[in-house]
Amino acid sequence: MTPTAAPAGPSPTDAAEDPIPGLVGFTAVLRHAGLPITTDRVAAFLGALDTLDVTSRLQTYWAGRLTLCSDPDDIRRYDAAFEAWFEPQRGGKTTISDERPPPPPKLASLMPSSDRSGDDDEHDEQAPELRAAASGTEVLRHRDLGELTPVEREHLRRLFALLRPEPPTRSSRRRRASRHGEPDPGRTLRAALRNEGELRELRHRDRSKRPRKVVLLVDVSGSMEPYADSLLRFAHVVVRRSPGSVEAFTLGTRLTRVTRELRQRDAEHALSAAGKAIPDWSGGTRLGEVLRAFIDRWGQRGAARRAVVVIFSDGWERGEPDLLASQMDRLSRLAHRVVWVNPHAGKDGYAPVQGGIVAALPYLDDLLAGHSLATLEKLLKVVRDA
């Protein structure tokens, strides 16, 4: 079974409640007009609007112009498309539509209409609706990933694309020139020889930094099915950010390596390929046996040595808890840090009473919630600081 495919485009009613489809539709118009609009530029545009006032036409205008235009020749076409897309309709209310408008007959003014003098009523009329929609992004960040509607899942996919994980680092054995650190006798002596033997400056060196390995183990059993698709999308973002130092596996009744599939640039293609590679999607859970297979085949050979290992699972175990405990003990001695992410840990009344959690808890460095985008962002900080 493969992860759920993306739903069809939003209806006009959805667009009225959520400005994101309309803003993405505007970028599609620019692409149709000949501007080189890429996914990264769209993500930068949405990220800029997330920190600005989306109800201001002037701020929306400059956010798009600075992120979507790459050449001075693009500005004329951008201005024309902006005036056509955000043109006030009859009744004096500026709306965001998700349908492509006809091209305007002439170039309009650079100043968006709602920020000109005399249009304060129009701006005030649209402000409550759009401000409520903008605050919906913050609400969505804290929503349970297993309880989202299809429209919310589509919005969440765009928010996942805006994540910028920072990989953890470790000190390398190699040393490099530095302004601080231990003295560097070789560079100091060579500098003195260039100055006829006069020692004028003490040179220093320090250990260079290298990315620390990260291993993601995602439980795709039946009890984790509501969260598995979102967690694999999260894993895709992390793998794409540091493809040389991140490994991804799925856990169920068997171990499946999906690193190669998740290295694909397009998220939908990556998730589809990963779904085809996973033979036990929404099946049972044998965490002890699967962890033993991971350590024997990958962990001891280098994948888990001095790495940050993140396990996404609710802790339900059909096998022997003693086997899971022994494998977690082995893993904790191999890894630099072991983090367990449980989607239920952030809910009211949760207690770690599941057999798998009880067996693994003594060997964990962190037990985190993983039921929302906000908790996954917190996980990225924990991994970065490791």
Side-chain angles (χ1 to χ4, degrees), residues 174-185 187-188 201-209:
R174 295 188 176 184
R175 291 173 172 82
R176 61 180 179 181
S178 174
R179 293 184 178 181
H180 308 283
E182 63 183 24
D184 189 343
R187 294 180 61 245
T188 302
E201 181 182 3
L202 181 63
R203 303 297 177 89
H204 297 83
R205 64 185 181 183
D206 197 2
R207 291 183 180 273
S208 60
K209 298 293 184 180

Side-chain angles (χ1 to χ4, degrees), residues 254-256 291-302:
R254 58 177 296 178
L255 177 74
T256 306
L291 274 180
R292 181 170 59 185
F294 165 72
I295 296 173
D296 291 343
R297 191 182 310 170
W298 299 94
Q300 288 185 336
R301 297 183 180 181

Side-chain angles (χ1 to χ4, degrees), residues 3 27 39 51 80 123 140 155 208 221 241 274 276 338 370-371 384:
T27 63
T39 304
T51 60
H123 182 77
L140 182 60
H155 191 172
S208 60
S221 62
R241 188 66 173 177
K276 295 177 181 178
V338 180
H371 65 287
R384 177 198 63 192

Side-chain angles (χ1 to χ4, degrees), residues 287-288 291 317 320-333 355-356 358-363:
L287 294 176
L291 274 180
E317 169 67 314
E320 292 294 332
D322 293 341
L323 176 60
L324 176 60
S326 64
Q327 299 310 311
M328 289 298 300
D329 183 23
R330 294 177 62 195
L331 183 62
S332 65
R333 287 186 273 111
V358 173
L361 200 56
Y363 309 101

